[in-house]
Amino acid sequence: MTDAQTTPIQRLATPQAVLLEQPRHGVPQTSEMLFGETCTPLDRDGDWVKVENRSDGHVGWLPPGTDLTEPAAPTHRVSGRVANLHPAPTHKAVPVAALSFGSLVTVAEPTESGWVRLDNGLWTFGKLLEPVAVPLDRVPVETALRFLETPYVWGGRSAFGIDCSGLVQVALRAAGITTHHSSGMQRNDDRLGPMVSADGQGVDYQRGDIVFFPGHVGIMLDGATLLHATVFTMSVVTEPLADVAARAEGITGVRRPVFQHPGL
Protein backbone atom coordinates (compact mmCIF):
# COMPACT_ATOMS: atom_id res chain seq x y z
CA MET A 1 0.00 0.00 0.00
CA THR A 2 1.20 3.53 -0.76
CA ASP A 3 0.85 6.43 1.63
CA ALA A 4 -0.55 9.28 -0.48
CA GLN A 5 0.93 11.80 1.91
CA THR A 6 4.52 10.67 1.25
CA THR A 7 4.24 9.91 -2.46
CA PRO A 8 5.70 12.59 -4.74
CA ILE A 9 3.83 14.00 -7.70
CA GLN A 10 4.73 12.18 -10.91
CA ARG A 11 4.65 13.14 -14.60
CA LEU A 12 3.50 10.89 -17.45
CA ALA A 13 6.43 10.27 -19.81
CA THR A 14 4.61 8.11 -22.37
CA PRO A 15 2.43 9.63 -25.13
CA GLN A 16 -0.78 8.59 -23.35
CA ALA A 17 -1.87 6.10 -20.74
CA VAL A 18 -5.20 4.50 -19.90
CA LEU A 19 -6.79 4.80 -16.48
CA LEU A 20 -8.68 1.64 -15.58
CA GLU A 21 -11.40 1.17 -12.99
CA GLN A 22 -9.63 -1.80 -11.36
CA PRO A 23 -5.99 -2.98 -11.14
CA ARG A 24 -6.26 -5.72 -13.73
CA HIS A 25 -6.38 -6.10 -17.48
CA GLY A 26 -9.69 -6.53 -19.27
CA VAL A 27 -11.68 -4.04 -17.22
CA PRO A 28 -13.17 -0.81 -18.65
CA GLN A 29 -11.05 2.24 -19.24
CA THR A 30 -12.50 5.19 -17.33
CA SER A 31 -10.21 7.95 -18.58
CA GLU A 32 -6.83 8.69 -20.09
CA MET A 33 -3.73 10.69 -19.20
CA LEU A 34 -1.78 12.68 -21.77
CA PHE A 35 1.96 13.16 -22.06
CA GLY A 36 3.26 15.66 -19.52
CA GLU A 37 0.21 15.59 -17.27
CA THR A 38 0.98 15.09 -13.60
CA CYS A 39 -0.64 12.75 -11.14
CA THR A 40 -0.65 11.96 -7.46
CA PRO A 41 -0.13 8.26 -6.66
CA LEU A 42 -2.75 7.09 -4.16
CA ASP A 43 -2.25 3.33 -3.85
CA ARG A 44 -0.43 0.33 -5.30
CA ASP A 45 -1.40 -3.23 -6.12
CA GLY A 46 1.73 -5.00 -7.30
CA ASP A 47 2.95 -3.06 -10.32
CA TRP A 48 -0.39 -1.28 -10.73
CA VAL A 49 -0.56 2.31 -9.49
CA LYS A 50 -3.76 4.10 -8.51
CA VAL A 51 -3.43 7.80 -9.31
CA GLU A 52 -5.36 11.03 -9.39
CA ASN A 53 -4.84 13.00 -12.59
CA ARG A 54 -4.09 16.53 -11.42
CA SER A 55 -5.50 17.98 -14.66
CA ASP A 56 -9.10 16.99 -13.93
CA GLY A 57 -9.14 15.08 -10.65
CA HIS A 58 -9.97 11.75 -12.30
CA VAL A 59 -8.88 8.68 -10.31
CA GLY A 60 -7.95 5.36 -11.89
CA TRP A 61 -5.34 2.61 -12.15
CA LEU A 62 -2.29 2.89 -14.42
CA PRO A 63 -1.17 -0.44 -15.90
CA PRO A 64 2.26 -1.92 -15.16
CA GLY A 65 5.02 -0.45 -17.29
CA THR A 66 3.52 3.04 -17.48
CA ASP A 67 6.47 5.43 -17.52
CA LEU A 68 6.22 8.01 -14.74
CA THR A 69 9.04 10.48 -14.05
CA GLU A 70 9.80 13.44 -11.85
CA PRO A 71 7.68 16.50 -12.69
CA ALA A 72 9.17 19.23 -14.86
CA ALA A 73 7.70 22.63 -15.61
CA PRO A 74 6.21 22.45 -19.12
CA THR A 75 7.13 25.24 -21.52
CA HIS A 76 4.68 24.38 -24.30
CA ARG A 77 1.54 22.41 -25.06
CA VAL A 78 0.63 20.61 -28.26
CA SER A 79 -1.66 22.88 -30.29
CA GLY A 80 -1.80 20.67 -33.37
CA ARG A 81 -4.25 17.79 -33.37
CA VAL A 82 -1.24 15.45 -33.32
CA ALA A 83 2.48 16.19 -33.02
CA ASN A 84 4.85 13.45 -34.14
CA LEU A 85 8.07 12.82 -32.22
CA HIS A 86 11.16 12.17 -34.32
CA PRO A 87 14.65 10.92 -33.41
CA ALA A 88 16.21 13.75 -35.43
CA PRO A 89 15.16 17.28 -36.51
CA THR A 90 13.95 16.35 -39.99
CA HIS A 91 10.72 15.18 -41.56
CA LYS A 92 12.68 12.29 -43.08
CA ALA A 93 13.34 10.77 -39.67
CA VAL A 94 10.65 8.15 -39.07
CA PRO A 95 8.41 9.19 -36.13
CA VAL A 96 8.78 7.03 -33.05
CA ALA A 97 5.72 8.33 -31.18
CA ALA A 98 2.94 10.89 -31.40
CA LEU A 99 1.41 13.32 -28.91
CA SER A 100 -2.22 14.39 -28.82
CA PHE A 101 -3.62 17.91 -28.70
CA GLY A 102 -3.19 19.33 -25.20
CA SER A 103 -0.14 17.28 -24.23
CA LEU A 104 2.43 19.19 -22.18
CA VAL A 105 6.09 19.30 -23.18
CA THR A 106 9.33 20.94 -22.11
CA VAL A 107 11.40 22.39 -24.94
CA ALA A 108 15.13 21.98 -24.33
CA GLU A 109 16.49 23.30 -27.62
CA PRO A 110 14.89 25.25 -30.48
CA THR A 111 16.50 25.49 -33.92
CA GLU A 112 16.36 28.08 -36.67
CA SER A 113 14.74 25.47 -38.92
CA GLY A 114 11.68 25.38 -36.68
CA TRP A 115 12.36 22.00 -35.08
CA VAL A 116 12.61 21.77 -31.30
CA ARG A 117 14.24 19.17 -29.08
CA LEU A 118 12.24 18.13 -26.05
CA ASP A 119 13.69 17.23 -22.68
CA ASN A 120 13.26 13.53 -23.53
CA GLY A 121 15.71 13.91 -26.43
CA LEU A 122 13.11 13.61 -29.21
CA TRP A 123 12.26 16.27 -31.76
CA THR A 124 9.00 17.78 -32.99
CA PHE A 125 8.07 20.67 -35.25
CA GLY A 126 7.69 23.90 -33.30
CA LYS A 127 4.64 25.12 -35.21
CA LEU A 128 2.67 22.27 -33.64
CA LEU A 129 3.30 23.75 -30.18
CA GLU A 130 2.32 26.91 -28.33
CA PRO A 131 3.81 28.36 -25.13
CA VAL A 132 1.91 27.44 -21.98
CA ALA A 133 1.80 31.17 -21.28
CA VAL A 134 -0.68 31.59 -24.17
CA PRO A 135 -4.15 31.86 -22.59
CA LEU A 136 -6.54 28.94 -22.97
CA ASP A 137 -9.19 30.75 -24.99
CA ARG A 138 -9.81 28.61 -28.06
CA VAL A 139 -13.34 28.43 -29.43
CA PRO A 140 -14.80 25.16 -28.03
CA VAL A 141 -16.73 24.21 -31.16
CA GLU A 142 -13.67 24.78 -33.34
CA THR A 143 -11.60 22.60 -31.03
CA ALA A 144 -14.22 19.85 -31.10
CA LEU A 145 -14.41 20.02 -34.90
CA ARG A 146 -10.73 19.11 -35.10
CA PHE A 147 -11.68 15.71 -33.69
CA LEU A 148 -14.18 14.87 -36.46
CA GLU A 149 -13.91 11.20 -37.47
CA THR A 150 -11.71 10.41 -34.47
CA PRO A 151 -12.51 6.85 -33.35
CA TYR A 152 -14.84 6.46 -30.41
CA VAL A 153 -13.02 4.97 -27.41
CA TRP A 154 -14.76 4.59 -24.07
CA GLY A 155 -12.79 6.66 -21.56
CA GLY A 156 -10.67 8.32 -24.28
CA ARG A 157 -9.75 12.00 -24.32
CA SER A 158 -7.14 12.19 -27.07
CA ALA A 159 -6.79 12.43 -30.83
CA PHE A 160 -6.24 8.65 -30.88
CA GLY A 161 -9.65 7.86 -29.39
CA ILE A 162 -12.26 9.86 -27.52
CA ASP A 163 -15.68 9.45 -25.93
CA CYS A 164 -18.60 11.87 -25.60
CA SER A 165 -17.62 13.47 -22.30
CA GLY A 166 -13.95 13.42 -23.31
CA LEU A 167 -14.75 15.48 -26.39
CA VAL A 168 -16.66 18.04 -24.35
CA GLN A 169 -13.92 18.09 -21.71
CA VAL A 170 -11.15 18.67 -24.27
CA ALA A 171 -13.12 21.39 -26.08
CA LEU A 172 -13.90 23.28 -22.88
CA ARG A 173 -10.44 22.84 -21.41
CA ALA A 174 -8.95 24.53 -24.48
CA ALA A 175 -11.26 27.46 -23.71
CA GLY A 176 -10.10 27.65 -20.09
CA ILE A 177 -12.88 25.64 -18.44
CA THR A 178 -11.92 22.54 -16.47
CA THR A 179 -14.58 19.88 -15.99
CA HIS A 180 -14.95 16.19 -15.22
CA HIS A 181 -14.57 13.28 -17.62
CA SER A 182 -18.14 12.10 -17.01
CA SER A 183 -21.33 13.24 -18.73
CA GLY A 184 -23.31 12.89 -15.51
CA MET A 185 -20.85 14.99 -13.53
CA GLN A 186 -20.63 17.53 -16.37
CA ARG A 187 -24.41 17.95 -16.27
CA ASN A 188 -24.17 18.94 -12.60
CA ASP A 189 -21.10 21.14 -13.06
CA ASP A 190 -21.92 24.85 -12.88
CA ARG A 191 -18.53 25.63 -14.44
CA LEU A 192 -20.20 24.70 -17.75
CA GLY A 193 -22.54 27.68 -17.46
CA PRO A 194 -26.16 28.03 -16.46
CA MET A 195 -28.68 25.26 -17.05
CA VAL A 196 -30.97 26.87 -19.63
CA SER A 197 -33.27 23.85 -19.81
CA ALA A 198 -33.68 20.63 -17.84
CA ASP A 199 -35.39 18.76 -20.68
CA GLY A 200 -34.43 20.55 -23.91
CA GLN A 201 -37.83 22.16 -24.30
CA GLY A 202 -38.27 25.85 -25.11
CA VAL A 203 -34.60 26.35 -25.99
CA ASP A 204 -33.35 28.57 -28.79
CA TYR A 205 -30.23 26.47 -29.29
CA GLN A 206 -26.98 28.30 -29.86
CA ARG A 207 -23.56 27.30 -31.14
CA GLY A 208 -21.56 25.98 -28.18
CA ASP A 209 -24.51 24.83 -26.04
CA ILE A 210 -23.77 21.61 -24.15
CA VAL A 211 -26.65 19.14 -24.50
CA PHE A 212 -27.13 16.16 -22.19
CA PHE A 213 -28.97 12.90 -22.80
CA PRO A 214 -29.26 9.74 -20.69
CA GLY A 215 -25.61 8.67 -20.43
CA HIS A 216 -24.48 10.97 -23.23
CA VAL A 217 -23.41 14.55 -24.04
CA GLY A 218 -22.55 16.66 -27.09
CA ILE A 219 -21.91 20.25 -28.16
CA MET A 220 -24.08 22.24 -30.56
CA LEU A 221 -22.46 23.15 -33.87
CA ASP A 222 -25.37 25.47 -34.69
CA GLY A 223 -29.01 25.81 -33.75
CA ALA A 224 -29.95 22.35 -35.01
CA THR A 225 -26.80 20.23 -35.31
CA LEU A 226 -25.00 18.28 -32.59
CA LEU A 227 -21.28 17.50 -32.65
CA HIS A 228 -20.51 14.44 -30.54
CA ALA A 229 -18.56 11.23 -30.09
CA THR A 230 -21.03 8.39 -30.42
CA VAL A 231 -21.17 4.61 -30.39
CA PHE A 232 -23.81 4.89 -33.12
CA THR A 233 -20.98 5.46 -35.63
CA MET A 234 -18.05 4.66 -33.29
CA SER A 235 -16.61 8.06 -34.17
CA VAL A 236 -16.95 11.81 -33.76
CA VAL A 237 -19.69 13.07 -36.09
CA THR A 238 -22.24 15.81 -36.63
CA GLU A 239 -25.93 14.88 -36.65
CA PRO A 240 -29.29 16.64 -36.42
CA LEU A 241 -30.04 17.17 -32.74
CA ALA A 242 -33.54 15.82 -33.28
CA ASP A 243 -32.17 12.49 -34.51
CA VAL A 244 -29.87 12.09 -31.51
CA ALA A 245 -32.62 13.05 -29.07
CA ALA A 246 -35.00 10.49 -30.58
CA ARG A 247 -32.37 7.75 -30.44
CA ALA A 248 -31.40 8.65 -26.86
CA GLU A 249 -35.05 8.87 -25.76
CA GLY A 250 -34.89 12.48 -24.71
CA ILE A 251 -32.73 15.36 -23.53
CA THR A 252 -31.87 15.69 -19.84
CA GLY A 253 -30.35 19.17 -19.78
CA VAL A 254 -28.80 22.05 -21.71
CA ARG A 255 -25.99 24.21 -20.36
CA ARG A 256 -24.69 27.38 -21.96
CA PRO A 257 -21.01 28.08 -21.21
CA VAL A 258 -20.05 31.67 -20.47
CA PHE A 259 -16.79 33.02 -21.85
CA GLN A 260 -14.85 36.25 -21.52
CA HIS A 261 -14.12 36.47 -25.24
CA PRO A 262 -16.84 37.45 -27.73
CA GLY A 263 -17.69 34.88 -30.35
CA LEU A 264 -16.72 31.84 -28.31
Side-chain angles (χ1 to χ4, degrees), residues 186-190 192-195 209-210 254-257:
Q186 288 174 354
R187 184 189 183 281
N188 297 322
D189 191 347
D190 289 337
L192 274 65
M195 181 73 75
D209 283 352
I210 308 299
V254 182
R255 284 192 179 271
R256 182 161 293 162

Side-chain angles (χ1 to χ4, degrees), residues 38-123:
T38 57
C39 62
T40 302
L42 303 175
D43 198 359
R44 288 186 182 274
D45 186 336
D47 292 329
W48 293 80
V49 184
K50 187 178 185 179
V51 301
E52 178 183 2
N53 185 349
R54 293 168 60 87
S55 294
D56 62 5
H58 198 98
V59 174
W61 290 89
L62 288 172
T66 303
D67 191 4
L68 297 174
T69 64
E70 296 297 317
T75 61
H76 292 73
R77 57 179 170 256
V78 175
S79 55
R81 182 177 176 273
V82 172
N84 283 330
L85 299 182
H86 302 255
T90 170
H91 63 281
K92 295 182 179 180
V94 178
V96 296
L99 304 182
S100 177
F101 176 84
S103 298
L104 299 170
V105 301
T106 301
V107 172
E109 177 189 351
T111 67
E112 292 184 359
S113 66
W115 290 85
V116 297
R117 181 172 61 83
L118 306 183
D119 63 346
N120 62 2
L122 297 175
W123 296 81

Side-chain angles (χ1 to χ4, degrees), residues 81 144-153 158-162 167 227-230 233-238:
R81 182 177 176 273
L145 280 170
R146 300 176 73 177
F147 287 80
L148 270 177
E149 299 185 3
T150 297
Y152 180 96
V153 171
S158 74
F160 311 111
I162 200 163
L167 181 66
L227 172 60
H228 64 146
T230 172
T233 61
M234 289 300 292
S235 63
V236 178
V237 296
T238 61

